Amino acid sequence: MIRLIRPGAAVALSLALAVALPVGAQSPTPGWPQAHSDLTPDPAVRFGVLANGMRYAIMRNTTPAGQTSLRLRIGSGSLEESDSEQGLAHVLEHMAFRGSTHVPADEMIRILQRKGLAFGPDTNAETEWTQTVFMLDLPHSDRDTLETGLMLMRETAGNLTLDPKALTTERGVVLSEERLRDTPDYRAEKAQIELFLDGQLAAQRFPIGKVEVIRTAPAELLRTFYAANYRPDRATLIAVGDFDPDVMEARIKALRPATRPCTATGGGGGPRRRSRTSAR
């Protein structure tokens, strides 16, 4: 899913990108921003960093009772794409539901349905310029449901198989989404962004990508993008719900490592750029 821009938000987006993404900016180092700020973080949130660099934030919230929300944020979106990769961040988001090392293709949806989640309202994902976010809203906070949700997030973070046959199927889904959103309103918003961000990479990297790339990009190129961007230092796991924070933190720390060590190289694609706004 591509997150839609609200009408009139193009100016705000252009300002936010201009401030947050200066030319030559480096990927964030492991750790939390408050470590370099005089602002006090919310004491209700427990922040942590795993040994591999992945961050996590935990907060107990008993409303609604017995439920938990999980979010996996990957600090990589369409701005990380090269010219030949435009659209792969979005395609990769879709492929997270099409099989991993420990979850066969299409089984992820069935697993979540057995836990009471509906695909769409409770299970979803979105791709933006600077991030890709995977969302699970669990209807129960029992041990089995929480461990299942964490396991699936772990699979997404580093164990996707990216099978060529599944990719062929998913191309059609992504292309259908591209056609569906190609409305006069979207074209007007796109034109606004191109005007306000003229000369900036963001104006050339709309998350929906290029139709030709979506149609023809080989699975190996997608794997290269996955290896280069789904790294522990770009991953943040957020858990909010009706659970014991001590127990949740222990479960997160006990997850079998799935993501690769921090590296700026992809799977066979050579060195990858770390600047988010330098044009290629």
Side-chain angles (χ1 to χ4, degrees), residues 107-121:
E107 184 61 22
M108 178 180 181
I109 302 301
R110 297 189 185 99
I111 290 173
L112 291 169
Q113 287 174 337
R114 289 193 288 268
K115 297 298 179 184
L117 283 78
F119 187 67

Side-chain angles (χ1 to χ4, degrees), residues 1 70-71 122-126 133-137 153:
M1 179 182 80
L70 298 178
R71 300 291 185 269
D122 307 315
T123 306
N124 218 318
E126 63 183 24
V133 180
F134 300 90
M135 301 166 275
L136 295 178
D137 290 331
M153 290 299 196

Side-chain angles (χ1 to χ4, degrees), residues 91-92 95-96 98-100 159-167 219-227:
V91 172
L92 186 53
M95 291 298 292
R98 299 301 303 249
S100 63
N159 284 336
L160 299 183
T161 51
L162 306 179
D163 178 73
K165 292 183 179 179
L167 175 58
E220 187 56 37
L221 184 60
L222 187 63
R223 293 191 187 102
T224 297
F225 186 83
Y226 181 51

Side-chain angles (χ1 to χ4, degrees), residues 213-233:
V213 173
I214 297 169
R215 284 176 176 165
T216 62
E220 187 56 37
L221 184 60
L222 187 63
R223 293 191 187 102
T224 297
F225 186 83
Y226 181 51
N229 292 282
Y230 279 54
R231 309 194 314 258
D233 62 327

Side-chain angles (χ1 to χ4, degrees), residues 185-203:
D185 282 348
Y186 173 74
R187 294 173 200 165
E189 291 172 4
K190 185 177 178 182
Q192 279 187 314
I193 293 172
E194 290 172 339
L195 173 64
F196 295 136
L197 294 180
D198 183 33
Q200 299 296 311
L201 184 61

